[in-house]
Amino acid sequence: KQEVTQIPAALSVPEGENLVLNCSFTDSAIYNLQWFRQDPGKGLTSLLLIQSSQREQTSGRLNASLDKSSGRSTLYIAASQPGDSATYLCAVHTGNQFYFGTGTSLTVIP
Amino acid sequence: DGGITQSPKYLFRKEGQNVTLSCEQNLNHDAMYWYRQDPGQGLRLIYYSQIVNDFQKGDIAEGYSVSREKKESFPLTVTSAQKNPTAFYLCASSTAAGAYEQYFGPGTRLTVT
């Protein structure tokens, strides 16, 4: 069964710092990997989707990379802002289901 | 506006009662999903459906039931057999081919006392 791990579970950084969130998965047979943001008590908002044939995707200050062979993805956030404070989750799609990590809770300190 | 709606936002029930959570989407997606989120445990899949009138159990289906009579709707019933129903429930949809990008509703917080 696919297992998805996100480390660290929590991260605090000062405003303006660049940061990297990590996501690892045990089975490399995936269709895609998706990064989400979740604010407290809210649903998930899709940030970036990387297809299995792609190496990276970019949207504004966000850049996500995918290394299927090693079972890893990273989400790079440039010039962090207090509004980036949220929980970030990654999910992999295996053809039938999505498997989620437990998330990284990010706090950006003004 | 295209999206997924879930109602109600908050739901309170007494133990022993069945309760149905609503999920509607106007994204024309074939696939729909129900997840449960508990603190520190991430999202766990309850049921999913890739086509009307068909659905499959996820990892934690016991004590839950679903129906998929219309493409737009995928209601979840939490039955009295679910031992620990208090949780945050999230509905999602995606295409059943191609990119499979998943979109989520705002969630329903169910409290059973």
Side-chain angles (χ1 to χ4, degrees):
Chain A
K1 180 186 170 184
Q2 180 76 263
E3 291 187 5
V4 182
T5 304
Q6 291 186 249
I7 295 173
L11 181 64
S12 287
V13 300
E15 181 177 0
E17 192 163 294
N18 302 327
L19 60 102
V20 174
L21 306 180
N22 297 295
C23 172
S24 61
F25 47 95
T26 54
D27 187 345
S28 62
I30 64 170
Y31 277 75
N32 65 37
L33 185 144
Q34 198 169 355
W35 281 94
F36 295 90
R37 169 189 172 131
Q38 186 177 31
D39 293 290
K42 307 286 188 185
L44 278 66
T45 300
S46 179
L47 297 174
L48 288 164
L49 174 76
I50 310 178
Q51 303 277 27
S52 62
S53 58
Q54 297 174 321
R55 298 284 297 191
E56 66 179 291
Q57 282 286 341
T58 298
S59 176
R61 294 183 293 109
L62 305 180
N63 176 276
S65 68
L66 175 63
D67 184 344
K68 257 184 48 171
S69 60
S70 67
R72 293 181 183 179
S73 175
T74 61
L75 178 66
Y76 174 83
I77 302 177
S80 59
Q81 303 170 357
D84 294 331
S85 297
T87 296
Y88 292 80
L89 297 101
C90 66
V92 297
H93 185 245
T94 59
N96 288 321
Q97 296 186 27
F98 293 84
Y99 291 89
F100 285 80
T102 53
T104 294
S105 177
L106 173 66
T107 302
V108 180
I109 303 165
Chain B
D1 281 338
I4 302 175
T5 58
Q6 291 186 245
S7 61
K9 187 174 175 65
Y10 299 97
L11 193 51
F12 299 88
R13 280 294 183 269
K14 295 289 188 186
E15 196 173 313
Q17 294 179 333
N18 292 353
V19 60
T20 297
L21 281 59
S22 168
C23 177
E24 304 276 333
Q25 56 99 0
N26 62 5
L27 300 168
N28 199 33
H29 285 166
D30 288 307
M32 297 187 74
Y33 311 82
W34 273 106
Y35 295 93
R36 170 183 173 137
Q37 188 176 35
D38 296 283
Q41 293 200 42
L43 273 71
R44 292 183 289 169
L45 182 64
I46 305 172
Y47 270 98
Y48 65 101
S49 168
Q50 294 187 311
I51 196 168
V52 173
N53 292 323
D54 188 44
F55 46 83
Q56 285 76 41
K57 294 181 179 180
D59 298 322
I60 56 164
E62 185 176 348
Y64 299 97
S65 66
V66 293
S67 63
R68 186 85 187 277
E69 297 176 2
K70 298 187 300 181
K71 187 175 184 177
E72 306 79 25
S73 179
F74 191 40
L76 173 74
T77 297
V78 184
T79 75
S80 56
Q82 168 50 232
K83 290 181 170 39
N84 187 18
T86 295
F88 188 50
Y89 290 88
L90 287 159
C91 178
S93 72
S94 75
T95 55
Y100 295 101
E101 186 168 6
Q102 198 168 39
Y103 295 85
F104 279 81
T108 292
R109 184 164 298 281
L110 173 65
T111 302
V112 177
T113 58

